[in-house]
């Protein structure tokens, strides 16, 4: 059954829409709300009469606005049923096939009678990519940036470090966080991962050691390995970083670089406290290790104020390279991140960067400059993620009470512990039922299992970042975790639940009926008895009983 959006909710979403003409302004506001997921895909819009009364406009205005949405592909009108939200091309349009696994096996029917066949892209529940949908205001920022773009068309358009005004905005962001920074120390990249790769290329040589957390964000480990690094690990357990083990790893491995996510660590969600930061920073300074600090989640604080956050790690280690991102706190489609570098390292990092690309796109840099100047979009994103986190926590506690987790004060994920070590089997069963999740070994470094992290049985890394327009097969729910002996001790990553989705457990279908055996080639076939023989056998059986 399709969800219904009330007229009062729509009035809140389109508040302040342009009324000249009113129907175009209303349609434009609804189009943005549908496109960024605030109005869920497939939701029934309020009736024209209800919306007319709440917005204080004529019914003709609402009728024309709905007709314009239908014409543009953002709504579908069904006779006798109402008007329903959609996006042009369907929900699969919002996903890239490289990031969206496709189930390869048939999915059982809900009634247990056979399979429904393979799933199409529109039927896939994508629980792999933990990234936020765009907050309100992104489209307006792009429109304003497009008006500024002609001023740059007379030049070559290459900015290997950053647009000057964006570098100033990012430096001011660090200054507000208590870390003195000049615009010359800022290099803008195509996302935090690109910044990590550039920094690794500049700092590492083939054979150098890089120390990373275990478990940790796997793509960063790949970037370090591509730069020629040999990976050493330090454990992050249920309670956070094991600082004694970390200091011992620094002493024994003698790494050149230490990759850290001290703010809402991925995937555990831990926040490294101020005292622990000072202790770890002192150990890295003594060993002359360069910290490569991923701060892409630092500003996604959901249960802690800005004044309560520990200081930036670079304020404790002057040689630290900090990496930030707009993809997590704003929108992944911006594809912009940045590095905050020590002044002495800027030239070497820029030289390494020129071997990869010549700078970030001008239009997106203009957009990000506007978004950083006005924090409305960032505040709205935090409020949305906070609501979705609370919804996910409530759903897990209600439907899966045996799963254990700590509610993080920021970031995008929960790191859960299953009652049994069956996470890989859970991921396999989920794929069979049309739910794409990534098994937890990809977050482990070294031995390839979370058992090596001191957290056996750790389970799904679950994100609350799903766009409200994410498609879920009708009648499909998340699978139950399989149990039994021989299950492996691994973790599973199951991102992307929104307030419009529910974490339910669907029972496994009964086994199929046994197939009729087919005799092998050359074996004599038994002919079925004729009707006459059956009657004769029945007569002989009666005579035997009489005797």
């Amino acid at each position: 059954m399709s969800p219904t959006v009330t007229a009062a909710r729509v009035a809140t979403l389109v508040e302040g829409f342009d009324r000249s003409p009113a129907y175009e302004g209303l349609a434009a506001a609804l189009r943005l709300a549908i496109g960024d997921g605030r109005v869920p895909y497939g939701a029934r819009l309020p009736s024209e009469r209800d919306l007319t009364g709440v917005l204080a406009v004529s019914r003709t205005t609402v009728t024309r606005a709905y007709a314009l949405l239908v014409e543009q592909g953002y709504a579908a009108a069904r006779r006798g049923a109402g008007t329903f939200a959609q996006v042009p091309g369907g929900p699969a349009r919002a996903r890239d096939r490289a990031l969206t696994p496709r189930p390869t096996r048939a999915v059982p029917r809900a009634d247990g009678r056979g399979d429904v066949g393979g799933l199409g892209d529109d039927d896939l529940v994508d629980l792999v990519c933990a990234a936020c949908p765009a907050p309100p205001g992104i489209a307006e920022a792009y429109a304003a940036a497009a008006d500024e773009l002609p001023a740059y068309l007379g030049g070559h358009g290459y900015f290997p470090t950053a647009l000057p005004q964006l570098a100033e905005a990012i430096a001011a962001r660090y200054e507000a966080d208590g870390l003195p920074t000049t615009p010359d120390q800022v290099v803008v990249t195509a996302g935090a991962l690109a910044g990590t790769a550039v920094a690794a290329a500049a700092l590492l040589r083939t054979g150098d050691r890089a120390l990373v957390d275990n478990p940790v964000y796997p793509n960063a480990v790949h970037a370090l390995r591509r730069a020629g690094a040999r990976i050493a690990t330090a454990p992050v357990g249920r309670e956070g970083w094991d600082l004694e083990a970390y200091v011992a790893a620094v002493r024994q491995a003698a790494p050149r670089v230490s990759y850290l996510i001290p703010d809402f660590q991925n995937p555990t969600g831990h926040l490294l406290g101020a005292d622990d930061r000072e202790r770890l920073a002192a150990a890295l300074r003594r060993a002359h290790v360069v910290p490569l600090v991923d701060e892409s989640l630092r500003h996604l604080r959901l249960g802690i104020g800005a004044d309560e956050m520990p200081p930036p790690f670079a304020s404790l280690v002057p040689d630290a390279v900090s990496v930030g991102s707009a993809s997590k706190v704003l929108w992944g489609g911006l594809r912009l991140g940045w590095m905050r570098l020590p002044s002495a390292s800027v030239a070497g990092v820029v030289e390494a960067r020129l071997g990869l690309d010549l700078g970030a796109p001008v239009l997106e840099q203009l957009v990000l400059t506007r978004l950083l100047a006005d924090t409305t979009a960032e505040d709205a994103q935090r409020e949305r993620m906070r609501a979705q986190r609370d919804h996910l926590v409530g759903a897990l506690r209600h439907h899966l009470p045996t799963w254990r987790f700590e509610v993080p004060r920021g970031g995008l994920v929960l790191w859960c512990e299953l009652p049994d070590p069956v996470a890989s089997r859970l991921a396999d069963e989920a794929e069979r039922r049309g739910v794409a999740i990534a098994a937890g070994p990809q977050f482990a470094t070294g031995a390839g299992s979370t058992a090596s992290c001191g957290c056996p049985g750790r389970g799904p890394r679950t994100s609350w970042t799903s766009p409200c327009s994410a498609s879920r097969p009708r009648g499909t729910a998340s699978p139950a975790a399989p149990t039994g002996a021989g299950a492996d001790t691994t973790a599973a990553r199951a991102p992307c639940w929104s307030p419009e989705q529910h974490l339910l457990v669907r029972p496994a279908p009964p086994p199929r009926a046994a197939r009729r055996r087919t005799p092998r080639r050359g074996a004599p076939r038994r002919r079925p008895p004729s009707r006459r023989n059956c009657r004769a056998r029945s007569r002989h059986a009666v005579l035997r009983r009489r005797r």
Side-chain angles (χ1 to χ4, degrees):
M1 185 176 181
S2 299
T4 299
V5 181
T6 64
R9 173 63 176 160
V10 169
T12 301
L13 295 175
V14 303
E15 183 179 5
F17 68 90
D18 186 8
R19 293 179 179 257
S20 55
Y23 81 93
E24 287 188 356
L26 177 58
L30 282 172
R31 184 171 64 246
L32 285 177
I34 294 170
D36 64 22
R38 287 174 291 161
V39 174
Y41 181 87
R44 183 182 182 275
L45 299 177
S47 67
E48 296 174 1
R49 178 179 299 176
D50 291 346
L51 199 55
T52 295
V54 172
L55 296 180
V57 296
S58 68
R59 187 163 181 173
T60 302
T61 297
V62 178
T63 301
R64 295 185 67 183
Y66 279 5
L68 187 56
L69 287 176
V70 172
E71 180 182 341
Q72 295 172 340
Y74 286 88
R78 304 175 193 168
R79 185 181 299 274
T83 305
F84 296 83
Q86 65 176 29
V87 291
R93 175 182 178 181
R95 300 194 297 266
D96 187 281
R97 298 304 180 271
L99 296 177
T100 305
R102 297 185 180 184
T104 56
R105 282 171 285 183
V107 178
R109 294 181 184 273
D111 57 8
R113 296 184 300 179
D115 296 330
V116 297
L119 293 175
D121 289 332
D122 291 351
D123 297 320
L124 183 67
V125 180
D126 181 12
L127 305 184
V128 173
C129 188
C132 306
I138 291 286
E140 291 84 349
Y142 265 95
D147 292 337
E148 298 181 51
L149 187 61
Y152 297 87
L153 299 181
H156 50 61
Y158 294 126
F159 293 88
T161 55
L163 278 180
Q165 58 267 46
L166 179 55
E168 292 175 3
I170 295 172
R173 191 178 179 91
Y174 280 111
E175 291 274 359
D177 220 7
L179 180 59
T181 304
T182 64
D184 293 338
Q185 294 178 264
V186 175
V187 174
V188 173
T189 61
L193 182 58
T196 301
V198 170
L203 297 173
L204 293 166
R205 297 294 178 267
T206 300
D208 287 345
R209 287 193 181 274
L211 183 64
V212 302
D213 297 337
N214 187 19
V216 74
Y217 176 52
N219 288 340
V221 177
H222 297 331
L224 295 170
R225 283 182 170 140
R226 282 194 297 270
R230 294 183 295 163
I231 302 299
T233 63
V236 179
R238 183 178 300 165
E239 304 300 328
W241 285 263
D242 186 342
L243 290 187
E244 291 185 2
Y246 210 108
V247 172
V250 169
R251 186 171 54 251
Q252 294 168 7
R256 176 80 178 90
V257 168
S258 175
Y259 175 78
L260 296 165
I261 311 178
D263 304 301
F264 315 120
Q265 199 257 4
N266 183 7
T268 64
H270 292 311
L271 178 64
L272 187 62
D275 294 341
D276 290 341
R277 289 181 190 229
E278 292 180 0
R279 182 180 172 187
L280 184 55
L284 296 177
R285 287 197 305 268
R286 287 194 302 269
H288 304 287
V289 179
V290 179
L292 178 52
V293 187
D294 189 338
E295 297 179 332
S296 57
L297 298 171
R298 180 175 177 84
H299 290 272
L300 272 168
R301 51 185 184 274
L302 307 179
I304 183 172
D307 55 341
E308 303 176 79
M309 286 289 292
F313 204 87
S315 65
L316 306 174
V317 184
D319 293 338
V321 174
S322 301
V323 177
S325 175
S327 298
K328 300 300 184 184
V329 72
L330 289 169
W331 183 44
L334 284 169
R335 297 310 316 129
L336 288 181
W338 56 83
M339 292 182 287
R340 190 263 181 201
L341 304 165
S343 298
S345 303
V346 173
V349 171
V350 171
E351 182 180 355
R353 191 259 175 85
L354 293 177
L356 299 176
D357 60 42
L358 300 178
V362 174
L363 180 62
E364 274 67 23
Q365 293 193 66
L366 292 172
V367 172
L368 183 55
T369 303
R370 287 184 164 272
L371 293 173
L372 294 182
D374 182 2
T375 61
T376 302
E378 195 170 332
D379 294 339
Q381 193 72 294
R382 276 194 290 266
E383 190 64 31
R384 176 195 287 180
M385 292 300 105
R386 186 179 296 111
Q388 295 186 194
R389 179 201 62 180
D390 295 343
H391 174 84
L392 173 63
V393 168
L396 284 176
R397 286 175 174 169
H398 177 71
H399 296 289
L400 296 169
T402 58
W403 287 23
R404 296 173 54 190
F405 55 85
E406 296 292 332
V407 180
R409 292 183 288 175
L412 296 173
V413 297
L414 293 179
W415 185 240
C416 303
E417 183 174 352
L418 299 177
D420 297 303
V422 294
S424 286
R425 290 178 57 191
L426 171 64
D428 187 63
E429 179 68 13
E431 180 187 349
R432 194 172 70 87
R433 294 168 180 259
V435 182
I437 63 176
Q442 73 179 66
F443 295 98
T445 52
S449 168
T450 51
S452 64
C453 316
C455 50
R458 295 297 283 185
R461 195 206 82 166
T462 311
S463 168
W464 51 81
T465 61
S466 173
C468 298
S469 57
S471 60
R472 177 169 59 88
R474 288 182 293 276
T476 302
S478 61
T483 58
D488 57 340
T489 302
T490 54
R493 173 181 181 256
C496 298
W497 288 100
S498 70
E500 287 74 29
Q501 295 173 302
H502 302 280
L503 191 60
L504 304 175
V505 177
R506 179 173 124 187
R512 299 185 191 177
R515 295 182 179 179
R516 183 178 177 180
R517 282 192 171 184
T518 302
R520 65 181 182 273
R521 184 176 299 175
R525 291 179 173 269
R526 295 182 59 185
R527 297 180 60 183
S530 65
R531 183 176 299 178
R532 179 179 178 183
N533 289 340
C534 289
R535 289 174 180 171
R537 289 179 182 176
S538 300
R539 186 165 58 251
H540 291 314
V542 171
L543 291 175
R544 282 197 301 270
R545 283 198 296 270
R546 288 178 179 177
R547 292 173 185 171

